[in-house]
Amino acid sequence: MFHLRTCAAKLRPLTASQTVKTFSQNRPAAARTFQQIRCYSAPVAAEPFLSGTSSNYVEEMYCAWLENPKSVHKSWDIFFRNTNAGAPPGTAYQSPLPLSRGSLAAVAHAQSLVEAQPNVDKLVEDHLAVQSLIRAYQIRGHHVAQLDPLGILDADLDSSVPADIISSTDKLGFYGLDESDLDKVFHLPTTTFIGGQESALPLREIIRRLEMAYCQHIGVEFMFINDLEQCQWIRQKFETPGIMQFTNEEKRTLLARLVRSTRFEEFLQRKWSSEKRFGLEGCEVLIPALKTIIDKSSENGVDYVIMGMPHRGRLNVLANVIRKELEQIFCQFDSKLEAVCGAQAWPTHPSWAQAAPGAHRVCV
């Protein structure tokens, strides 16, 4: 209430004597003349009923309005609502409506001022809810990624429900949204790239693009990284629309590399089923992934790559990435082939350097 009194004191119009006094104080010193001086006071924006004598009455009305807005007259209700909403001086008060045709327009204007603040609050809350929803997909989207094509991780296979069939009503209700908000357009934060060249999208499209980025057959867990630049790089590589689209030539290359990896494992399984091979079954996509990394590194000026390999997948990487001769690999399984393979030396080439112990050096 002290704030309201201060505002009332500041908004009270200046009297003539105060204006003349202020004018005389701010006027620079000059020689005395006998010309008549006229002083004009500019009108100050203020409410017509605010004065020192009405402060007690306004305070009582304000306290009553805080307890129950319906306990005061509608005009007081509008005035206090507009004042709390930050209406500039001279606009918070709405005069009583005249009995004319313009009354409807005045009512609409007053109603818009009263409802402006609640609408702004709801808009801000909805945008914050959408930002929280986007961050939830980035943090926990890998938990609902479709990484189990056979569904064997579900205890009850008959009642298993895929993640994409779950109703969106519960998902939206947790963030204070409902189905009526799905067609509303929301501005996207700077921590997401799902918009591409667009800065705003409907909520339905936002959810669809987030599910395409984080809830498909690749699970991405990266929000624990403290480096903002690294997080932004991962977001851009997974969220940008169309970034996972490949040309027909790229698809053929990936398929050929995946077939070589798979056939190599099948051949070793059929010929030497009882030997320790440390096979790559179930992870054959490692070969096209490594080949792609080497190709991109070569395009960016990398001269050579040094890889430290675990046991699992070592033979497949030697055969299909480093391109070691298959005869030398097979000699390790069959002692009868040692005589034939012993006469053959490792293919010498200027681009092949000696590998460090426990690592394979690949020239690109």
Side-chain angles (χ1 to χ4, degrees):
M1 193 58 209
F2 175 77
H3 176 71
L4 185 59
R5 288 180 176 176
T6 305
C7 293
K10 292 181 179 180
L11 296 178
R12 190 180 306 118
L14 297 176
T15 62
S17 60
Q18 291 175 338
T19 306
V20 173
K21 184 179 180 181
T22 304
F23 181 83
S24 62
Q25 291 177 352
N26 297 332
R27 180 172 177 151
R32 180 178 299 179
T33 61
F34 296 96
Q35 297 179 356
Q36 185 178 2
I37 300 176
R38 293 183 179 181
C39 299
Y40 299 92
S41 60
V44 180
E47 307 297 350
F49 55 87
L50 290 179
S51 63
T53 57
S54 62
S55 60
N56 294 332
Y57 177 72
V58 174
E59 182 178 0
E60 294 177 0
M61 298 298 294
Y62 183 70
C63 293
W65 178 80
L66 290 177
E67 295 180 359
N68 184 12
K70 295 183 180 180
S71 63
V72 298
H73 191 264
K74 188 64 177 179
S75 59
W76 282 110
D77 184 25
I78 296 176
F79 170 72
F80 291 133
R81 286 181 181 272
N82 293 339
T83 303
N84 290 344
T91 61
Y93 169 71
Q94 302 296 325
S95 59
L97 300 177
L99 298 178
S100 61
R101 295 183 179 180
S103 300
L104 184 60
V107 172
H109 178 66
Q111 188 67 19
S112 63
L113 289 177
V114 173
E115 296 179 356
Q117 184 70 14
N119 291 339
V120 171
D121 293 341
K122 181 64 166 62
L123 184 62
V124 172
E125 291 176 359
D126 290 346
H127 275 80
L128 292 177
V130 172
Q131 294 186 17
S132 300
L133 180 64
I134 294 175
R135 183 171 177 82
Y137 272 98
Q138 295 172 346
I139 296 177
R140 305 185 60 83
H142 62 280
H143 288 290
V144 293
Q146 302 177 21
L147 305 180
D148 184 20
L150 301 179
I152 58 178
L153 298 181
D154 295 323
D156 190 355
L157 300 180
D158 296 333
S159 61
S160 61
V161 180
D164 56 349
I165 303 180
I166 299 177
S167 175
S168 61
T169 305
D170 300 336
K171 184 193 315 180
L172 297 176
F174 181 79
Y175 296 97
L177 303 170
D178 51 29
E179 294 185 355
S180 61
D181 298 324
L182 290 175
D183 296 326
K184 292 182 180 179
V185 179
F186 294 93
H187 289 277
L188 299 175
T190 57
T191 55
T192 184
F193 295 88
I194 59 175
Q197 301 297 328
E198 302 176 86
S199 60
L201 288 174
L203 180 58
R204 190 187 307 275
E205 183 65 16
I206 291 175
I207 295 177
R208 189 190 70 83
R209 296 191 182 186
L210 288 173
E211 291 183 350
M212 290 294 297
Y214 295 106
C215 302
Q216 296 303 308
H217 302 292
I218 299 178
V220 189
E221 185 178 4
F222 65 97
M223 290 298 289
F224 61 89
I225 301 177
N226 295 326
D227 193 328
L228 178 60
E229 184 178 356
Q230 295 180 6
C231 288
Q232 289 290 83
W233 186 88
I234 296 176
R235 290 191 188 108
Q236 184 179 8
K237 293 302 180 181
F238 279 89
E239 294 182 358
T240 303
I243 199 167
M244 292 295 181
Q245 301 297 327
F246 301 98
T247 62
N248 292 334
E249 186 63 26
E250 291 174 341
K251 292 180 180 179
R252 294 190 186 97
T253 302
L254 292 175
L255 178 61
R257 292 173 176 177
L258 188 60
V259 169
R260 285 182 61 91
S261 173
T262 305
R263 294 302 183 185
F264 181 80
E265 295 294 339
E266 293 178 352
F267 178 79
L268 294 182
Q269 169 65 22
R270 184 168 57 253
K271 290 295 183 179
W272 296 283
S273 58
S274 60
E275 297 290 339
K276 289 184 178 181
R277 307 180 313 276
F278 303 104
L280 202 62
E281 290 89 348
C283 193
E284 292 87 352
V285 73
L286 173 67
I287 301 305
L290 289 177
K291 295 282 287 185
T292 302
I293 292 174
I294 295 174
D295 292 342
K296 292 298 182 181
S297 301
S298 178
E299 294 176 2
N300 293 327
V302 176
D303 295 330
Y304 58 89
V305 178
I306 300 177
M307 296 186 299
M309 279 294 300
H311 292 293
R312 180 171 170 80
R314 179 186 294 268
L315 297 180
N316 210 320
V317 172
L318 286 173
N320 295 316
V321 177
I322 303 180
R323 294 300 180 91
K324 182 178 180 179
E325 294 294 336
L326 296 179
E327 291 83 356
Q328 297 186 9
I329 297 177
F330 297 154
C331 286
Q332 302 177 8
F333 295 100
D334 194 346
S335 57
K336 298 179 181 179
L337 300 176
E338 291 180 357
V340 179
C341 297
Q344 299 181 2
W346 177 270
T348 59
H349 193 275
S351 61
W352 288 84
Q354 184 177 1
H360 298 285
R361 186 180 295 261
V362 182
C363 181
V364 294

